Amino acid sequence: MKRNDFLKTLGFGSAGLLMGESLLSSCMNHDMATMDMTTAPTVVEGAFTTILPILETITSGTALNARSQNAAIVAGKTGQVLGYKNGILGPTFRVQRGSTVTIPFTNGLSEETNIHWHGLLVPAAMDGHPSQMVTAGQSFNYTFKIDQAANMAWYHPHPHEKTGKQVFTGLAGMFIVESPEEKALNLPSDAYELPLVIQDKRLDTTGAIMYSPTLEEVMIGYMGETITVNGVSSPFQPVTTRMYRLRVLNGSNGRMYNLALSNGNSFMVIGSDGGLLPVPETVTSLLLAPGERADLLVDFSKIALNSEVYLQSNSFSGVSSQGSQTFKILKFMVNKTETDTFKMPTSLNSITPLSTASATKTRTFDIGVMMNMGSGGHGGTMAMKGMHTINGKIFNMDRIDESVALNSTEIWEFDNTNGDEPHPMHLHGTFFQVSSRTGGRGNILSHEKGLKDTVLVMPGEKVRIITKFEKVGKFVFHCHNLEHEDDGMMLNFEVK
Ligand code: C2O
Ligand code: CU
């Protein structure tokens, strides 16, 4: 069933929308009854007068403690959020390839949680599978060897049906892996390298984060009107007339950003989820879905001294629930002349393309069907479950959906031909290459020319990925729209 048909059967069709909304607000106790929840809430830009916070950098051994915190997302309003150390979000790990990392973790929440290391190839027992919970008040030591190329990964909770709430409320952090090969490229570093987690938030009048998705928001993803970078609304960053490296994570539940510069200048994409691309790619915009990362180079020497340029999200097409608005995210103020010593490398990384001929199996996944409504709960607020499925199935913790032979190469096809929602599909336990996209945008995009762990499949698209499964054990793959994931759009695969 398509989303629009689904809405109609519930009486949310065009004529029934108002009635449906008031019905919803009375039985689900949400206070946004006047908003059309079949589309993203309109972004309200802030003043861009708060300086961009750079999250604390930490390394192995630093303890994380998921707990309630106070933070001022909007200047002057300190509200209740969640965080892993100080304030909202978590510190940024910076570790060397080859090192062993130990992270003592305590669950200071009143419900279960855990940590998934999204973009790190860790053993299954350390991966934060939804069956590996740390109960309230308990601790767990995450420890693993960093055995992969340099990249920017991230970390966040993965409890089934509660991931959306916990991430939206503030639990997420960045994790940077460095290597000698990457160092040798002399990419902009230190003050010239900015890790940026972009998220949207919905705030109440006290500045606290609200999370209570309606039925329609389970369908389109829970989105907010306040866009934050590193935990604050509409910040600014002073820059000098040189090249900067922006390491962007879309840490939002459901909102996508079509990243661009407000003056229309081009910028370079040098990496994505799994590390550097083979060669730098020049773009004027880049659509980044929840869970995806983009490693960007922006040349501020092309911008006049004492002028401003914004990182913004341009409008985009292909989906009815979001993309109609252009909004600013982060203001850069070019305030100092500096001589740039950076030389753009002609090649960044060598990635051997996996040939489709080496694949021993092709699996197809229909991700474009909504069905299977039944009883169940969505964070306790919904009497609906399983509108989002993969091959008609919703998540079952104990069922193995796909059995994969260790070290085999496979093609997985995500088919959203009949769907009308975008689905960023994420595999744990491996990086993959995007081997084709048919329908919709119709080709492999610049930031998809390296190793990926999350790929956006827009309505009408069929995307094929290819990967070699080298980690033993039980992992999940799922849609990274966190309301879809919590609704059950997730399956298990076991490598053995
Ligand atoms: Cu970032 Cu299974 O997720
Ligand atoms: Cu989805």
Side-chain angles (χ1 to χ4, degrees), residues 116 118 154 156-158 291 426 428 454 476 478 480 482 485 490:
H116 167 53
H118 180 142
W154 63 300
H156 63 77
H158 220 298
H426 170 49
H428 289 210
T454 306
V476 287
H478 59 88
H480 219 289
L482 298 182
E485 175 188 337
M490 172 158 68

Side-chain angles (χ1 to χ4, degrees), residues 101-418:
V101 174
T102 300
I103 302 142
F105 171 63
T106 301
N107 177 2
L109 308 177
S110 54
E111 62 183 19
E112 62 181 16
T113 188
N114 68 354
I115 300 181
H116 167 53
W117 309 93
H118 180 142
L120 295 181
L121 297 178
V122 305
M126 292 290 152
D127 194 55
H129 187 277
S131 63
Q132 300 158 345
M133 283 300 129
V134 181
T135 52
Q138 296 304 298
S139 297
F140 183 80
N141 244 10
Y142 287 96
T143 181
F144 40 82
K145 186 168 184 207
I146 305 292
D147 185 16
Q148 61 182 72
N151 77 333
M152 188 172 91
W154 63 300
Y155 59 99
H156 63 77
H158 220 298
H160 186 42
E161 298 176 327
K162 299 190 194 78
T163 297
K165 180 178 79 174
Q166 293 184 4
V167 172
F168 197 86
T169 316
L171 293 179
M174 291 174 280
F175 197 114
I176 293 171
V177 176
E178 297 182 330
S179 72
E181 290 83 351
E182 193 197 60
K183 268 265 128 61
L185 296 170
N186 283 312
L187 297 169
S189 61
D190 303 308
Y192 310 116
E193 177 189 2
L194 305 172
L196 306 173
V197 46
I198 301 178
Q199 297 178 308
D200 56 341
K201 299 295 175 202
R202 197 178 298 175
L203 305 174
D204 70 12
T205 51
T206 71
I209 297 173
M210 294 194 290
Y211 185 81
S212 56
T214 62
L215 180 72
E216 295 102 315
E217 286 168 327
V218 172
M219 279 186 263
I220 67 172
Y222 191 75
M223 289 176 262
E225 67 297 307
T226 301
I227 308 298
T228 63
V229 187
N230 296 349
V232 309
S233 161
S234 304
F236 77 93
Q237 169 69 31
V239 292
T240 67
T241 54
R242 54 157 290 155
M243 194 73 87
Y244 278 70
R245 184 180 188 186
L246 310 184
R247 310 196 68 173
V248 182
L249 157 67
N250 181 351
S252 309
N253 282 29
R255 196 183 275 280
M256 306 190 287
Y257 303 92
N258 191 19
L259 299 175
L261 295 169
S262 54
N263 60 5
N265 276 10
S266 63
F267 52 98
M268 311 280 250
V269 193
I270 58 166
S272 72
D273 309 344
L276 295 170
L277 303 182
V279 295
E281 305 274 339
T282 303
V283 299
T284 51
S285 67
L286 184 158
L287 184 63
L288 200 68
E292 287 188 296
R293 285 86 73 208
D295 202 343
L296 309 176
L297 291 180
V298 175
D299 189 356
F300 291 107
S301 74
K302 292 183 180 152
I303 294 156
L305 190 64
N306 297 319
S307 62
E308 310 165 349
V309 64
Y310 290 85
L311 179 67
Q312 66 180 30
S313 179
N314 283 350
S315 61
F316 55 90
S317 58
V319 51
S320 59
S321 54
Q322 57 175 304
S324 58
Q325 192 188 1
T326 293
F327 53 84
K328 297 181 176 74
I329 298 171
L330 169 61
K331 177 159 96 173
F332 293 105
M333 304 164 74
V334 185
N335 68 355
K336 192 169 158 235
T337 307
E338 220 169 17
T339 320
D340 199 349
T341 52
F342 172 70
K343 296 267 173 306
M344 179 65 79
T346 48
S347 108
L348 298 163
N349 193 6
S350 71
I351 297 172
T352 314
L354 290 169
S355 85
T356 51
S358 67
T360 50
K361 204 174 177 87
T362 298
R363 297 177 201 252
T364 57
F365 299 101
D366 189 345
I367 57 170
V369 180
M370 287 186 175
M371 52 192 286
N372 213 2
M373 303 155 39
S375 57
H378 190 277
T381 59
M382 285 294 131
M384 287 293 168
K385 175 99 200 129
M387 293 179 292
H388 299 93
T389 61
I390 300 175
N391 280 348
K393 295 194 276 186
I394 62 166
F395 187 60
N396 178 322
M397 199 80 80
D398 307 310
R399 184 188 63 218
I400 302 297
D401 298 284
E402 308 294 332
S403 296
V404 177
L406 182 62
N407 293 323
S408 64
T409 299
E410 297 195 359
I411 293 167
W412 286 23
E413 177 183 283
F414 296 109
D415 186 352
N416 200 15
T417 306
N418 297 313

Side-chain angles (χ1 to χ4, degrees), residues 388 422-425 479-481 484 489:
H388 299 93
H423 300 295
M425 298 305 297
C479 178
H480 219 289
N481 177 310
H484 295 183
M489 195 172 178

